[in-house]
Amino acid sequence: MKFKPANSIQDLQYFGEFGGVNPSISDSSTYTFLSAKTMFDTFEGNADGCYLYSRHSSPSNLYLGEALAAMEDTETATVTASGMGAITPVLLQLCAAGEHIVSSRTIYGGTYAFLKNFAPRLGIETSFVDITKLETVEAAITSKTRVLYCESVSNPLLEVADIKGLANLAKKHNLKLVVDNTFSPLSISPAKLGADVVIHSLTKFINGSSDTVGGVVCGSQELIDQLRNVNDGAAMLLGSTMDSLRSASVLKNLRTLHIRMQQHSDNAMYLANQFENDGLKTVYPGLTSHPSHELFKSMMNDKYGFGGMMTIDVGSLEKANELMELMQERNLGYLAVSLGFYKTLFSAPGSSTSSEIPEEEQMEMGLSDGLIRFSIGLDADIERTYNMMKDCMIELNILESTLV
Ligand code: PLP
């Protein structure tokens, strides 16, 4: 039977302390013990169900982690204070000094900066490759490699990773495949396709209200226990813990994710089709012109579409800036980084979210100056939005008027 991630979230049942329909929030940083012996056992990791200190775990964080593990079909999960607070501990847990990572070259700028500039200070080197070419990925693997790293749908170029193919490579070379699934929650389930670890920035679609940062690592019980180990766990010791109040609010938002993703995807599909028909260089995995359209289709779960992210190329940064400013003036969205909001968000990644990537490398990977990344919102009337966006483009001579 096909995996239905939204069912897995819905099938969890929580009650609050007094029978509330939402679980009670654990508004405490520390927990009492009835006996000193149990406290000792808990430190040693031998007292199931006991809470010690909220940097380690808290009931609220465990509820959210459990729901996200159900969504990604992994044994368990741990939530973190941000997406970067999930990515960095996982990589540091899986790799020691002298070891090596093979990463997609088109990834979120912050992850790229960590791998390129920070991890080498700790003796961890990364080879950046074109992740769509499995033979290039395999050629970059050395005896020191421990991790294959990619995003299911990459930020900002929307390249699609062949997760099954990468999982086979990982198995063959005894590596861990770590997949950042931030752009395609519900649509793609990387663990089902063989990924060992699935990461999200909860800041984006999953929380969906642009009011917090957050992250999650979904994986095996063994890995999550390692991350939380009081002696050498990277999540525990680097301290990127989510606050319990926040995890309670993210959990409430998670419950509408399936409805929101459908609307984000429907709206993005409509706009991408229209823009492409208008002759704009449009990239969206739902378009048959996307080089990995068939691959995405072969991996996707029913119902949630190809996601809310698309790009268009308007030729130059000046034009991109003019267009974004005009669209914001007309209240068609906000000139802002991030994604997954109810309102459309747009930015020029070359000068914002991917500015950590040097210009020549941006060019090599096809990240052009005039690229605008859209996170398409939940607009109730997307046809009206399209017509208003098109008017902006005609005014700025990005599109020719078709009026006679
Ligand atoms: N992964 C992807 C694909 C992202 O787009 C981002 C942020 O933009 C992150 C990770 C980092 O997440 P956060 O900002 O929550 O730390």
Side-chain angles (χ1 to χ4, degrees):
M1 205 174 70
K2 259 195 134 179
F3 178 59
K4 304 235 165 93
N7 287 2
S8 303
I9 299 173
Q10 188 180 324
D11 289 348
L12 295 170
Q13 189 182 54
Y14 304 95
F15 295 115
E17 200 178 350
F18 303 103
V21 293
N22 288 305
S24 306
I25 301 173
S26 50
D27 196 19
S28 295
S29 58
T30 190
Y31 299 83
T32 54
F33 289 86
L34 292 180
S35 85
K37 161 98 175 53
T38 320
M39 182 186 262
F40 176 76
D41 288 345
T42 306
F43 256 101
E44 296 287 296
N46 298 328
D48 253 7
C50 286
Y51 295 96
L52 180 68
Y53 184 63
S54 286
R55 176 154 48 80
H56 184 250
S57 66
S58 73
S60 298
N61 287 7
L62 290 187
Y63 285 134
L64 177 61
E66 202 181 302
L68 291 162
M71 178 180 92
E72 289 297 0
D73 200 34
T74 57
E75 278 175 19
T76 188
T78 190
V79 293
T80 54
S82 68
M84 287 309 291
I87 293 164
T88 53
V90 165
L91 295 176
L92 295 176
Q93 196 73 43
L94 295 176
C95 296
E99 294 180 339
H100 175 247
I101 296 170
V102 175
S103 169
S104 164
R105 62 182 184 181
T106 71
I107 48 173
Y108 166 59
T111 314
Y112 178 88
F114 173 74
L115 291 172
K116 175 102 177 174
N117 307 326
F118 198 97
R121 291 168 50 182
L122 307 171
I124 299 167
E125 298 294 333
T126 301
S127 301
F128 295 96
V129 298
D130 180 345
I131 204 75
T132 63
K133 300 201 168 78
L134 289 179
E135 54 303 343
T136 313
V137 176
E138 186 161 30
I141 296 171
T142 72
S143 60
K144 306 268 188 234
T145 310
R146 296 291 171 270
V147 168
L148 286 186
Y149 185 88
C150 68
E151 295 170 359
S152 351
V153 179
S154 77
N155 182 359
L157 292 177
L158 310 182
E159 283 179 358
V160 178
D162 174 357
I163 298 172
K164 265 191 193 157
L166 292 167
N168 287 339
L169 278 186
K171 222 172 252 131
K172 180 172 161 196
H173 295 274
N174 200 20
L175 316 175
K176 296 285 181 214
L177 175 61
V178 180
V179 179
D180 178 338
N181 198 28
T182 301
F183 275 30
S184 45
L186 299 178
S187 294
I188 295 181
S189 301
K192 275 281 172 210
L193 301 164
D196 298 289
V197 185
V198 185
I199 289 175
H200 283 276
S201 164
L202 301 177
T203 316
K204 314 293 162 35
F205 290 103
I206 290 181
N207 185 55
S209 49
S210 291
D211 56 0
T212 187
V213 286
V216 68
V217 183
C218 302
S220 66
Q221 189 70 51
E222 189 188 359
L223 174 72
I224 302 301
D225 286 349
Q226 282 170 5
L227 283 167
R228 288 204 194 119
N229 189 294
V230 293
N231 292 307
D232 60 5
M236 180 67 185
L237 299 179
L238 297 174
S240 61
T241 309
M242 180 176 269
D243 182 72
S244 291
L245 291 175
R246 265 309 174 193
S247 51
S249 77
V250 176
L251 179 63
K252 284 177 265 189
N253 287 353
L254 176 67
R255 292 175 183 149
T256 56
L257 180 66
H258 57 300
I259 302 167
R260 289 186 280 113
M261 284 318 296
Q262 287 171 18
Q263 185 78 358
H264 284 300
S265 291
D266 286 352
N267 283 353
M269 188 77 232
Y270 179 86
L271 288 178
N273 265 321
Q274 297 293 341
F275 288 150
E276 187 169 62
N277 287 340
D278 290 335
L280 278 173
K281 216 166 135 195
T282 310
V283 175
Y284 181 64
L287 294 173
T288 50
S289 58
H290 189 289
S292 302
H293 174 69
E294 288 303 323
L295 173 64
F296 195 122
K297 257 171 71 178
S298 73
M299 295 195 292
M300 74 199 288
N301 296 315
D302 294 340
K303 277 194 184 168
Y304 308 107
F306 294 88
M309 302 303 295
M310 56 172 269
T311 66
I312 60 171
D313 193 332
V314 295
S316 70
L317 183 59
E318 292 69 43
K319 274 278 172 249
N321 289 344
E322 276 180 302
L323 177 61
M324 292 190 292
E325 285 168 12
L326 187 58
M327 288 191 297
Q328 176 161 261
E329 204 179 294
R330 307 253 165 105
N331 203 11
L332 290 165
Y334 297 141
L335 202 180
V337 298
S338 201
L339 38 133
F341 199 35
Y342 82 98
K343 197 102 175 170
T344 293
L345 302 177
F346 31 79
S347 56
S351 56
S352 60
T353 48
S354 298
S355 55
E356 295 92 338
I357 303 173
E359 245 170 67
E360 62 284 9
E361 285 176 45
Q362 290 192 19
M363 266 165 58
E364 207 182 303
M365 64 176 71
L367 208 171
S368 52
D369 266 0
L371 196 79
I372 302 179
R373 183 189 79 176
F374 285 80
S375 163
I376 303 300
L378 300 173
D379 307 28
D381 183 352
I382 197 65
E383 201 176 330
R384 181 184 73 144
T385 303
Y386 163 67
N387 286 324
M388 290 171 73
M389 285 183 172
K390 191 170 175 184
D391 285 345
C392 296
M393 293 183 200
I394 291 170
E395 260 177 69
L396 297 173
N397 295 319
I398 292 166
L399 282 180
E400 282 177 24
S401 171
T402 48
L403 295 177
V404 277

